[in-house]
Amino acid sequence: MSNRTKLELDSLTTADELKNVVGGVRLDRPFCIRRLGHFGISVDDVAACLPFYTDVLGFAVSDTLDFNQFFGLDENVVGPGIGYLLRHGAEHHSFALFPRRQMMAIAEPSADMLDITVNQITWQVGSLREVVDAFPWLAQQGLDIVRQGRDTPGSNWHCYPRGFDGNINELYYGIELIGWNGRSKPQEIYSLTNDELPKLPYVSEATEVQQAMAKGLDLNTGVFWKDREPANYDVGGILLSRPFKVTRVGPVRLFVKNMARAVHFYKDVLGLTLTEEIVWSGHSCYFLRANTEHHSIALYPIAIREELGLSPENTLMGFGLQVGDYAQLRDAVIYLKKRGATIRYLPQELFPGIDYSVLALDPSGHAVHLYYCMEQIGWDGKPCPNELRVKFDNENWPETVELRADTFRGEAFLGPLG
């Protein structure tokens, strides 16, 4: 306890005094990102891509959005406008699949942003107060705040800054959870929504639900998704519809055109920690983290996109999907090949902190990156030295692998597998 008087403390003009206080902790910004929450892409043909994410990868549809109706767009001009919010676990959505023409009509991107098909990179903070305080602070950093308020469906309070790399990011607090009955909130409950950030303190979600029930709203009328595939696979003793279970989403891997501006945004503005920089084929690549994982976002120069043979029509190198274990990863590759997915094995050096992994391409050419474990960062904040990492051939996988320091570590999947 300081023995200075209040008057003395009030008169101080130290650097510490100028910092923001978040939950009693002094920070350089009025929020602290805890983790990557969800992610989304926009595609030309949503209907063609949806089965890849539901029937093949096992995501469940939580809700749909009609962008034509919401934004008053003519379907004869822009085509079908239905977008899908999907989940791998209990959170309302961990992945968003939206129609690209509608996103382009709404955003009106500049010529150098036409290949950005990421519709959101979403970061979870710890409180509603952090979201509210983040809005003016981000605007002061010169960012375009695309929108703020509350997302529906999903119920998450948010603000959407566009990064210096052109990608729309979201800071959000909380999200609707879907429980044992597999139903999302009914649409009628969204009369409680708000298009602006609230005055604090705000009522809890539990209070909102109780108010809806008091009005006689039937909470059992929300969307329910039934898996269309038969549950014939033994996954850890549970019968599932595919021989693996997605247990975590992320990291996001982006090709960027201005690396300095991108690193500055994610590191200095959003506050992610730079874990590691590598040089591959003469190009610097950067890996940043939100929590203890080695990285939650990876930035690659756009110059290597063609060299890797990935689609020139989007800037997504890959969206990470972690499965339960190494055996599931091996089985997932076999299953994906049987389902007609294009599989790509890329050099280990491009994925520090991850060992065996593959890219699987969806029908639009976007890649998901499947892996089974990630290096965790400890108290000293340093990654494992590269010379101590296990070397392996990512195109030749053994039947089993040795236990490593980070196997089965990191964010755990909560709830039953299915």
Side-chain angles (χ1 to χ4, degrees), residues 207-250:
T207 298
E208 290 180 331
V209 171
Q210 291 165 12
Q211 292 171 344
M213 293 174 64
K215 294 178 180 178
L217 179 63
D218 183 359
L219 299 184
N220 293 313
T221 58
V223 172
F224 176 82
W225 178 258
K226 185 179 185 302
D227 199 325
R228 295 177 290 205
E229 302 295 306
N232 295 329
Y233 294 94
D234 179 348
V235 181
I238 299 294
L239 286 174
L240 299 181
S241 299
R242 48 203 57 81
F244 62 92
K245 171 65 180 178
V246 173
T247 58
R248 180 174 177 266
V249 297

Side-chain angles (χ1 to χ4, degrees), residues 253 287 300 317 346-354 357 359 369:
R253 304 186 184 281
F287 302 83
Y300 304 85
M317 179 177 171
L346 297 185
Q348 173 194 8
E349 294 80 12
L350 291 168
F351 311 114
I354 291 177
S357 66
L359 295 185
H369 182 219

